Every structure is written in C-alpha cells, then in structure tokens.
Amino acid sequence: MASQNPFNAILKGLEKPDGGEFGKYYSLPALNDPRIERLPYSIRILLESAIRNCDEFQVKSKDVEKIIDWENTSPKQVEIPFKPARVLLQDFTGVPAVVDLACMRDAMNKLGGDSNKINPLVPVDLVIDHSVQVDVARSENAVQANMELEFRRNQERFGFLKWGSNAFDNMLVVPPGSGIVHQVNLEYLGRVVFNRGGLLYPDSVVGTDSHTTMIDGLGVAGWGVGGIEAEATMLGQPMSMVLPGVVGFKLKGKLRDGVTATDLVLTVTQTLRKHGVVGKFVEFYGEGMSELSLADRATIANMSPEYGATMGFFPVDHITLQYLRLTGRSDDTIAMIESYLRANKMFVDYSEPQVERVYSSYLELSLEDVEPCVSGPKRPHDRVPLKEMKADWHSCLDNRVGFKGFAVPKESQSKVVEFNFNGTPAQLRHGDVVIAAITSCTNTSNPSVMLGAALVAKKACELGLEMKPWIKTSLAPGSGVVTKYLQKSGLQKYLNQLGFNIVGYGCTTCIGNSGDLHEAVASAISENDIVASAVLSGNRNFEGRVHPLTRANYLASPPLVVAYALAGTVDIDFETEPIGLSKDGKNIFFRDIWPSNEEIAEVVQSSVLPDMFKATYEAITKGNPMWNQLSVPSGTLYSWDPKSTYIHEPPYFKDMTMSPPGPHGVKDAFCLLNFGDSITTDHISPAGSIHKDSPAAKYLLERGVDRRDFNSYGSRRGNDEIMARGTFANIRLVNKFLKGEVGPKTVHIPTGEKLSVFDAAMRYKSEGRDTIVLAGAEYGSGSSRDWAAKGPMLLGVKAVIAKSFERIHRSNLVGMGVIPLCFKAGEDADTLGLTGHERYSIDLPASVSEIKPGQDVTVVTDNGKSFACTLRFDTEVELAYFDHGGILPYVIRNLINTKH
C-alpha cells in the first residue's frame, strides 16, 4: 500500500521576489548531501522525480539513494523507476494509443471493472502532426489544398482523436495544421517547470516518437519510448529504466563563417556514434554553449536517436530564458521557472564559477573545427565533408552494395538517359537530384538555417539561376511561425520562385510523403537503373524511407538543400565546379550564393519576433474551421464500426481473463525471416505509401477503397488488419532466404514457396506453428514505432534472436509479449551455421519467479544445434509484463485489483 512521502520534511515554499509564494517544492539542497552537487543536471531531474513520487510502493527510498549515489551505481546497471511529468503523443502514434485506451475500457467492462478508471493519470499532449502529402507542391495555395486533401482522407482518424479529447480526462489535443509535434512541443507545450496545484517540479516528458529528444534543447528531460510503454506511463505506471551513464560533451569556441547548425549536428552525430552512447544520456556543457542559440541546441538534441543516446541534454541557462521570452511565455512564468531552478540547483549560470560535475566519460569539440558537410547516402551518421562529396559519390558508385555503395559498373557510371519532360528534351544521370525538400522538425525549427536557405534563394534568383522543372521541391515548416518570419523578411518570394513553396506544416519527405515523381522522371529512373538522389533537411535517410525511386538520400542543411537543387546533382565539387549560369552567361559558383553568418544573423534579428509565436499559438487554441466542424459521438465508450478501414478494434484483449497466462517458451518454431544487420523499424513497419501489389492494398481494394485513397501506413495505424499486413512490407527488405532478391517476401519453409511475409505468417498460424525472427546487430533502430512490435506479435512471432537491439524497440517487443534474445558476444546466425531452415525451441520455466533479468537461456534446433543466448528482459517489471502477456493486460489487471 502507498504511504505518506518520507521526504515531506524537505518540502519548502518558494518565495516570490515581491512577497508571496510561487508554490511548494521538494528541495534537493535541503537533503544536505554533498553528492548531489556533483551530479549531472540530467540525473538531478530523475532524482527530484523519485523524491516527489516516493510512496514506498511504486517508488521507494532505496531508489532515491541509488540515484543520489549515481557515481557509484550507474556503472552497475541498477534499475530505477521514473515517473515523467507528462506524455507526448503524435497523431500517428496517438491513434493507436487512443484505440488501445478505448479497447481497455471495453475490456474493463467485460471483466467487471470500472471502465472510467482507464483515463490518463499523467497529462497527455497529443499533437495531430498530420503528414502532408507533397502532391500539391509548386503553387501558392499548396497549404490549403493539402489541408483539404488531408481532411478528406483522414476525417475519420481526426474525428476519432477529437472524440478521445472529449472522452478522456487530462488529454490536450492540438488540431491538424498547427505544426510538427516536436517543434510545437518546443515552442508551446514545453513547461520547463510545472506548477500543478501549487506544487512546483521540473517538466519531463516521454513521447511516442524517438525525436521527442528535441525538447532536451530547452532543458526539459525527454526521450522517445514505445507507444506501449507511453500508454502504461499515462495510466500511472512508473517507467522501469536502467540508471544511465552520462557522457559529458564539452563545447569550445564558435562556428566559423559559412558553417551551419546542421553541419554541427552531423559532426556531433558522427562523433557520438563513434564514442558509443547507446542507452546513455549526453549532457552538453562548456564555454561554447554561449555561442549556441536555443534553436541550435534543439537541432543537436533532436538527432539523439541518430547518435544513439537516450537524451542529448542542455541544462537551462540564460539562453533558455531568452528563448522562452521570444516564444511568448509570460514574464511571471519565466520568473517562476528561473527562481525554482536556481533554488533547486538545476540552473546553469555561466557568469558564476562552475562546480566540476562528474560524468561517466568525457568528449570535447572545438566549434571552429566543424566544416560544411552532408550525411548519406543511406545513414544519418555517414558524414561527408562538402569538399569531399564528389570523390565520395564516385566511391559509392564503385563500392559493392551496402551503406556506402551501389555497385554501378564503371562503364555505366557516366551514362546519360534522354527523356521527354512535358514536351521538352531532358537528361538524367547517376546522382541527379529529383527530390529537394526543406522538411523535418530537426531544421525547420531553426531560424538561422531557414533564413539562410531563403538568402541562398534570393542570391540565386537575382543572378538568374533556375531549378530544373522535374526536381520535386517543397518546404514544410515545423510551425506557422516560420511562414511569418519568412514573409516578414521579404524572402519567401525567392523560395517560391525556385519552387520551394510551403506545402503545409507537418511531416513530409522525411517519412516518405514526397508523393509520386513525374511519370517521365519515374520511368527514366526505373527503366535505366539510375541511382537518383534526394537531398533533404531531415534526420533520417534509411533505404526506402524517402522515396522508392531515390536510392541515394542525403541529409543537408536547408541552405545546402537549395544549393544542391540548383546544381541538380550531388556529383559536383562546389569549390571548383559552377552551380549554373547567370543571366548574362557567366559561371555562378557556390561561394557566389552562400550568405555570411552576419547576413543571416541580421535577418534573424529583424524578422523573428515574439508576437509571431503568440499569434500562432493563440490560433491553435481556437482550432481551425475544418477541425471545428468535425462532428463526433459523445460517450466514454467508443462505438466501433466494423466497416472502417481507419479505426478497428484490435484483438489484444480477446478472451482475456483475470489470471495472467504466465511465461511462454517456444517449441519447434519456424524462422519467418532471416536478417542481417541494421534492420530498422521502417523495414519492419513502414510508415509511407501502401504499395499497389501489397497485402494491405489487396485488403483495401476488397473493401472498395480507391488506390488514390490508400493514404499511408502511418495514417492507418488505428487499423490492426492493415498494419499486420504492412508488417515487413518495406520494398527494400533484405531477407537472406531470398538470396539477394530485395522485397517484402519470404520462404514458407515446409513447402519452399515464396510468399509475401503476411501470407507466409498466416499459413504458419493456420498450421498452428510458432515463428521466430533471426537478425543481426541494431535490430529495430530508427523511429520508436510500436507497430514494429505489435505487427510481428499479430503475425505470430514469438521471439526475435538478434546480435543487438535498439533500446526502444526491445522495450516494445517486451510490451507485446515477444521474447527478445541476444546471441552471445562474437556469435550470430552465420558463425553458428544457422541457415534459418531449422526449427527452434526455447525452453523457459513455467513460473516467472524462476526467471531472472538478463539470464542465459539455451536455444535448441531440430538438427541438433544448441547455443546460449541472453534473455533480454532487463528488469523485474519487464518480467511481470511478460507474465501477463504484455504491458496493457498487466495494467488492466492491476487497475481492477487495486483498491487504494
């Protein structure tokens, strides 16, 4: 039973400068423990949460002691509970979360519990970050046209979320068209310090998208978790986490002229990947911090998943407070935030002597050493300095197929494909840019790179440079504020002139919503095996993610996106080769269109104003006409429509009883898929377009849905039937069973038939046979996509045996009752001689009390092979979830059994 908080003795009042009180807070200095002064700031946030929530039931005094003793305990991989201050949902992940909440209410009803107990106990911010389809691009009315298209396609999904905002308490829904979830979080939702009922405490957040980490730039501790884990957090369950190590990253000096925040973040990403920061916090400090704007910090924080850290954290300082003023937070709120953080030793004042904090390891970067760069052609941490780009591109053409190779024969590398574009002769070569997109929360939150791109456009237009008309260009800012300052600066017209019209405020090219290329361009690429390029200011460039026809995808700053679009190719040395010809026939070089840092700073200073943020976010609270006109049913239980292709009741709680099913082993399972390294959640559960020949397409066609209304997998995450069919449906899937053939197919082992993954899985299920997946390193890297765990579970996958797992994906598998196993160090399927044609048995004890986190288990095959694996249930709480068949059944049974 919960008891009174044993730390109530350190509950203090925080006085206002002019008398009165801001509220009460749990004072860390009042503990009089010298170890706290040496703790990283990010760990202090975990400590305060443990103290405030200590009830000797879910959070215990010994957990508080573990965190205070972080210096000694963190190397030992100790487990702690963490209760974040709030949960952030994006609509793609929010829909399944609300579907699950609605299902849980139904299940509670059937089991005789009080269905109204299923309500978020922790504040939930749900942003309808609608995915803008770049079908309507080069036009002035693109935003309105895309909004109308989105509402027509997604009316049912939006209506369902509007129902959820009324049916569930403690849930704020931000309507569509407002911006990308992470930028809205940074500019509007981030509290920095909460004041709830007179109790003050630091804002902290877990979100259902891995780039939730962007908020770390604001000094708010936040990271991505699986949708399943987020739902449990919403329902009052503490998150069980391993107390992380913290890498101290010292920044010195300032960036050179012509170097952008994007160049910095790509450099930081490569450095941290090399250092190894998976499962760790990274905390930035040093005198270089004063040279980084809040937007620069947010850009670095956003990319945490790409360098592998749980967080890239920037403690609150004067620059944070300046940003809060700029974005329209009130003076009273900012005074409360500063007073609280200073009083609780969570504020960094660089004008004062710094106490040396302890870190698990140390890195240092001199900002002067950063140079212009891009990353690609297939991974965000494969950084290429701009001056080496041409040479690197040619080596990629030569190299064997892989992360840095396309294996194009020498004699084919210079081929020129002639085609006809709207009646005009045109040519296409390897490396030619066909998509150029200023997109993604990573960079569109940063005025310096956005206005930098606009200045490049201005200089290019004045010199008479033009874009090739077949390049699909688009601009999708993360919030409406960007439009306001681009217009105020007078620079938007130059972007428009080059074809970078604003298409909407949401995720676009970065998640595969580029729309179709012009038919002539598409044919020229596919019929001649051209390695075409996309250049985008996003954070992810995994194969098959950006567009099926762009095999080379480069991440670049917004100004570089414009420059490469003007050049029309990535096969260029910007230092020696011209980008194009001026009006009077002179060669124009990169240096002729590149703005100086002073030029950018000047236009940022005069164009980015607090009133813009206030006006943008006041409009959010009023909604918009299309949203306000949505009529939704009342009632706390949802009326499921069996004919709906968007919202469908999943079978998670079918036949659920009050008794947990207990742990399950695996007996004589077939291998459904046999993978190598770096299988991402995009490979497992794509978010982009639904291929016309896929099982999901067949399902939709059978239900009378026209192909043009297929929409994306992301938009249909509320329908388990489609998402199960979309599992392992990525067109770039490489399955060893197919011996080099790429695509979403596998071999049904008993018959040797080649089938779609879904059809093979259904055949195994109908035969009553379990399946497993074999994989290499970094299985499940990429976006924190809960369907990448839900989908395999619905296909009948009982276990995944991999060399290593991405943190969130492993947690999601546990949440769905799928067993994650790791090969022992130095071993994998190949070294063990496994072909995947064997049958696999994993024997687990019948009682969960006999299983220990991280223990070894033996896997036995039907041909006599036997090998040890590490059972990747990492905590006792995860074992409890497994015992219950998953996290959601565990929560329901707990809520029914809980009397206090």
Side-chain angles (χ1 to χ4, degrees):
M1 293 288 285
S3 62
Q4 191 181 17
N5 191 322
F7 292 95
N8 277 348
I10 61 165
L11 196 58
K12 305 284 183 196
L14 184 68
E15 290 181 8
K16 292 183 175 179
D18 56 354
E21 203 174 74
F22 284 115
K24 304 276 187 221
Y25 72 105
Y26 285 92
S27 167
L28 301 187
L31 287 169
N32 292 318
D33 193 317
R35 293 173 295 178
I36 294 173
E37 193 75 8
R38 289 163 57 80
L39 289 179
Y41 287 97
S42 47
I43 298 299
R44 295 179 198 188
I45 291 174
L46 301 184
L47 174 61
E48 189 283 338
S49 173
I51 288 171
R52 177 168 35 87
N53 290 297
C54 187
D55 58 0
E56 301 297 3
F57 176 62
Q58 288 185 327
V59 183
K60 299 179 177 172
S61 299
K62 65 180 184 185
D63 298 314
V64 172
E65 172 55 28
K66 284 179 195 171
I67 302 171
I68 293 175
D69 201 33
W70 171 85
E71 200 173 332
N72 297 310
T73 52
S74 66
K76 298 173 184 167
Q77 295 285 291
V78 302
E79 179 191 346
I80 59 156
F82 175 52
K83 286 196 159 191
R86 62 189 170 99
V87 172
L88 181 69
L89 301 175
Q90 175 247 23
D91 68 327
F92 276 7
T93 45
V95 168
V98 178
V99 164
D100 290 351
L101 286 172
C103 279
M104 289 172 79
R105 279 196 172 165
D106 291 346
M108 281 282 267
N109 255 7
K110 286 172 191 161
L111 290 167
D114 177 4
S115 64
N116 286 323
K117 272 191 177 178
I118 305 290
N119 249 326
L121 300 177
V122 171
V124 175
D125 298 326
L126 195 161
V127 181
I128 303 186
D129 174 359
H130 73 120
S131 58
V132 178
Q133 298 286 332
V134 190
D135 296 330
V136 188
R138 290 189 178 191
S139 68
E140 295 290 346
N141 66 347
V143 176
Q144 185 61 22
N146 272 319
M147 274 290 280
E148 286 169 7
L149 181 67
E150 282 295 291
F151 264 87
R152 183 175 64 77
R153 282 177 171 169
N154 300 307
Q155 186 164 349
E156 192 180 342
R157 188 171 109 241
F158 294 165
F160 176 67
L161 290 175
K162 194 171 177 184
W163 166 82
S165 70
N166 298 327
F168 296 104
D169 297 332
N170 224 7
M171 186 184 282
L172 168 71
V173 174
V174 176
S178 306
I180 296 174
V181 56
H182 310 306
Q183 195 162 341
V184 173
N185 193 23
L186 190 76
E187 294 175 356
Y188 177 63
L189 296 171
R191 278 72 153 183
V192 187
V193 172
F194 264 93
N195 186 347
R196 287 191 86 200
L199 183 64
L200 308 175
Y201 53 94
D203 187 5
S204 56
V205 60
V206 290
T208 51
D209 186 282
S210 46
H211 294 105
T212 300
T213 52
M214 187 169 182
I215 200 68
D216 304 339
L218 196 68
V220 174
W223 58 87
V225 296
I228 305 144
E229 199 174 358
E231 288 168 30
T233 304
M234 281 162 32
L235 294 162
Q237 298 298 308
M239 279 177 53
S240 180
M241 62 184 284
V242 172
L243 186 61
V246 183
V247 177
F249 199 133
K250 188 175 188 178
L251 299 173
K252 302 190 306 185
K254 66 183 290 189
L255 294 173
R256 287 182 288 135
D257 201 42
V259 177
T260 67
T262 316
D263 302 322
L264 171 60
V265 75
L266 294 178
T267 305
V268 167
T269 297
Q270 187 184 45
T271 305
L272 287 169
R273 267 277 169 192
K274 197 171 171 187
H275 185 73
V277 292
V278 172
K280 296 187 173 78
F281 290 175
V282 176
E283 188 166 294
F284 293 89
Y285 70 104
E287 64 270 24
M289 293 283 277
S290 60
E291 296 296 330
L292 291 185
S293 70
L294 197 291
D296 292 349
R297 298 173 183 194
T299 308
I300 295 169
N302 179 292
M303 291 281 277
S304 297
E306 282 66 50
Y307 43 83
T310 305
M311 271 207 304
F313 188 73
F314 291 81
V316 175
D317 61 10
H318 286 106
I319 286 172
T320 322
L321 300 179
Q322 282 170 15
Y323 181 80
L324 292 172
R325 283 188 194 95
L326 172 68
T327 50
R329 273 78 162 194
S330 73
D331 289 344
D332 286 349
T333 299
I334 295 166
M336 180 267 290
I337 289 169
E338 183 176 3
S339 297
Y340 169 80
L341 293 174
R342 281 185 182 277
N344 229 4
K345 302 284 180 161
M346 293 179 178
F347 186 87
V348 184
D349 191 334
Y350 288 105
S351 67
E352 295 173 357
Q354 298 296 298
V355 174
E356 195 60 39
R357 288 175 301 287
V358 177
Y359 293 111
S360 311
S361 61
Y362 296 81
L363 285 170
E364 193 172 287
L365 175 68
S366 181
L367 298 178
E368 286 99 341
D369 295 341
V370 178
E371 57 183 325
C373 56
V374 296
S375 275
K378 302 180 187 183
R379 295 191 301 187
H381 50 281
D382 290 335
R383 187 180 70 90
V384 187
L386 207 56
K387 63 185 183 216
E388 295 169 22
M389 182 59 179
K390 190 178 177 79
D392 192 80
W393 170 252
H394 284 275
S395 69
C396 286
L397 289 178
D398 288 334
N399 294 346
R400 64 186 180 82
V401 173
F403 296 123
K404 291 290 287 183
F406 299 105
V408 176
K410 278 276 187 212
E411 63 275 12
S412 304
Q413 289 182 12
S414 55
K415 79 171 166 188
V416 180
V417 175
E418 307 278 348
F419 70 103
N420 188 293
F421 183 80
N422 291 341
T424 307
Q427 295 180 332
L428 208 58
R429 297 173 175 82
H430 292 300
D432 277 6
V433 175
V434 293
I435 291 174
I438 300 175
T439 177
S440 163
C441 45
T442 315
N443 288 294
T444 66
S445 62
N446 195 326
S448 66
V449 290
M450 295 301 283
L451 288 162
L455 285 168
V456 169
K458 177 177 188 279
K459 289 171 187 280
C461 290
E462 287 171 346
L463 289 165
L465 293 181
E466 292 181 349
M467 206 78 76
K468 291 185 174 70
W470 58 82
I471 298 177
K472 192 154 197 177
T473 46
S474 61
L475 167 56
S479 93
V481 176
V482 180
T483 301
K484 288 185 170 66
Y485 64 65
L486 283 172
Q487 285 171 344
K488 165 91 174 143
S489 67
L491 296 172
Q492 179 68 55
K493 64 183 179 191
Y494 300 108
L495 287 165
N496 291 352
Q497 197 174 318
L498 294 182
F500 287 97
N501 300 80
I502 292 177
V503 296
Y505 307 96
C507 295
T508 56
T509 308
C510 37
I511 59 158
N513 281 347
S514 312
D516 294 334
L517 295 177
H518 188 282
E519 202 176 313
V521 179
S523 299
I525 294 169
S526 50
E527 288 168 16
N528 298 281
D529 203 23
I530 289 289
V531 183
S533 285
V535 185
L536 65 152
S537 65
N539 42 36
R540 296 243 159 106
N541 54 342
F542 302 128
E543 280 189 287
R545 180 182 175 104
V546 173
H547 194 282
L549 294 177
T550 59
R551 278 152 64 194
N553 301 287
Y554 285 94
L555 304 183
S557 66
L560 271 179
V561 170
V562 178
Y564 272 112
L566 287 162
T569 181
V570 297
D571 185 6
I572 183 172
D573 179 346
F574 278 144
E575 287 191 19
T576 61
E577 296 178 75
I579 274 181
L581 294 173
S582 69
K583 295 179 261 209
D584 49 5
K586 288 188 184 146
N587 280 338
I588 302 297
F589 289 86
F590 177 79
R591 57 184 170 269
D592 299 324
I593 60 170
W594 200 255
S596 70
N597 288 10
E598 282 73 22
E599 283 178 273
I600 295 170
E602 199 176 296
V603 73
V604 169
Q605 188 71 35
S606 61
S607 306
V608 185
L609 306 170
D611 285 351
M612 296 175 177
F613 292 90
K614 282 180 184 161
T616 299
Y617 289 109
E618 275 167 13
I620 280 179
T621 56
K622 295 172 187 160
N624 59 57
M626 286 184 269
W627 172 257
N628 294 339
Q629 282 160 22
L630 282 175
S631 63
V632 296
S634 56
T636 58
L637 293 176
Y638 189 70
S639 302
W640 303 98
D641 176 1
K643 295 197 190 82
S644 170
T645 56
Y646 276 102
I647 310 296
H648 183 262
E649 185 177 13
Y652 309 138
F653 308 111
K654 197 179 172 190
D655 307 323
M656 180 181 162
T657 63
M658 279 305 296
S659 302
H664 63 81
V666 175
K667 181 83 172 147
D668 287 333
F670 283 97
C671 180
L672 180 63
L673 293 146
N674 186 359
F675 291 131
D677 294 344
S678 294
I679 291 294
T680 70
T681 51
D682 274 304
H683 288 118
I684 305 167
S685 185
S689 56
I690 296 171
H691 193 272
K692 65 181 188 332
D693 300 323
S694 64
K698 186 181 172 197
Y699 175 88
L700 288 167
L701 289 168
E702 284 169 356
R703 278 148 190 81
V705 178
D706 193 277
R707 191 187 156 201
R708 67 176 186 200
D709 292 324
F710 278 5
N711 216 330
S712 62
Y713 284 113
S715 64
R716 292 189 180 273
R717 282 183 189 163
N719 189 314
D720 58 287
E721 296 279 6
I722 290 167
M723 296 310 292
R725 286 164 174 78
T727 301
F728 300 114
N730 189 301
I731 55 162
R732 296 276 175 219
L733 200 68
V734 178
N735 173 10
K736 291 181 188 176
F737 287 154
L738 299 186
K739 299 185 171 26
E741 184 187 336
V742 176
K745 294 196 181 298
T746 195
V747 173
H748 178 252
I749 305 292
T751 62
E753 280 183 79
K754 189 165 73 174
L755 301 168
S756 75
V757 178
F758 176 77
D759 289 341
M762 290 305 101
R763 189 175 293 185
Y764 283 127
K765 276 187 101 170
S766 69
E767 295 161 349
R769 290 163 163 169
D770 288 348
T771 54
I772 61 134
V773 169
L774 291 175
E778 298 179 344
Y779 182 75
S781 56
S783 302
S784 55
R785 205 161 280 169
D786 57 344
W787 267 110
K790 288 175 172 176
M793 184 276 280
L794 291 175
L795 294 187
V797 173
K798 301 299 181 191
V800 179
I801 310 174
K803 279 174 77 174
S804 63
F805 291 92
E806 193 276 338
R807 174 184 64 87
I808 299 171
H809 184 63
R810 185 204 61 81
S811 164
N812 275 346
L813 289 173
V814 172
M816 293 313 297
V818 178
I819 304 168
L821 293 166
C822 275
F823 292 108
K824 301 306 282 183
E827 293 184 347
D828 60 20
D830 292 340
T831 63
L832 292 166
L834 303 172
T835 65
H837 287 79
E838 309 84 356
R839 296 182 73 171
Y840 295 79
S841 293
I842 304 159
D843 192 24
L844 291 179
S847 168
V848 78
S849 62
E850 296 173 51
I851 307 174
K852 296 283 173 280
Q855 74 174 55
D856 281 0
V857 295
T858 303
V859 182
V860 179
T861 66
D862 62 332
N863 61 355
K865 279 196 167 69
S866 173
F867 56 96
C869 284
T870 305
L871 187 63
R872 286 298 311 278
F873 296 121
D874 290 359
T875 64
E876 297 288 348
V877 171
E878 289 188 343
L879 281 171
Y881 297 156
F882 184 55
D883 188 42
H884 280 259
I887 203 166
L888 300 180
Y890 169 86
V891 169
I892 288 177
R893 291 188 186 105
N894 264 18
L895 284 171
I896 290 175
N897 288 325
T898 301
K899 302 289 183 242
H900 64 273

